[in-house]
Amino acid sequence: ATASVQNTNATSFQSAPNPSNGKFSILFNKLNSMYDISVYNVEGQLIYHTKGSEKNATIDLSNAAAGNYFVCINTGAEKIIRKIIIAH
């Protein structure tokens, strides 16, 4: 038998569109607190940062070079990292 444990308090989100032209939205499915959004390039350099508490956040990286980036969401209780692609 397989047992699974689900964290029902976990923050989940979607980033859309992905790939994008640099403008994309982060849509939180469940949000219980403030959050920090940081975006890093593949070299680990921070290229964008914001804080908020809204269920939707719009990010504009249209001036960033095409390539892969990492979106880091930190709620204090957890940290989630997702890859996004910018294609001009």
Side-chain angles (χ1 to χ4, degrees):
T2 303
S4 66
V5 177
Q6 242 181 341
N7 182 355
T8 57
N9 293 323
T11 301
S12 62
F13 71 93
Q14 299 173 347
S15 56
N18 192 14
S20 77
N21 63 0
K23 293 181 182 179
F24 61 95
S25 296
I26 300 214
L27 312 168
F28 292 95
N29 298 329
K30 188 172 193 175
L31 183 65
N32 297 325
S33 63
M34 294 284 296
Y35 56 79
D36 287 336
I37 299 175
S38 300
V39 180
Y40 298 91
N41 63 18
V42 292
E43 296 171 352
Q45 297 168 322
L46 178 67
I47 63 162
Y48 179 89
H49 180 261
T50 191
K51 294 182 178 202
S53 61
E54 303 293 320
K55 290 207 172 221
N56 298 334
T58 301
I59 298 175
D60 185 354
L61 300 176
S62 55
N63 292 330
N68 295 322
Y69 293 85
F70 297 95
V71 176
C72 178
I73 309 287
N74 189 343
T75 64
E78 62 185 323
K79 192 174 194 179
I80 307 164
I81 299 172
R82 298 259 174 87
K83 183 172 85 169
I84 59 163
I85 300 169
I86 295 177
H88 294 289

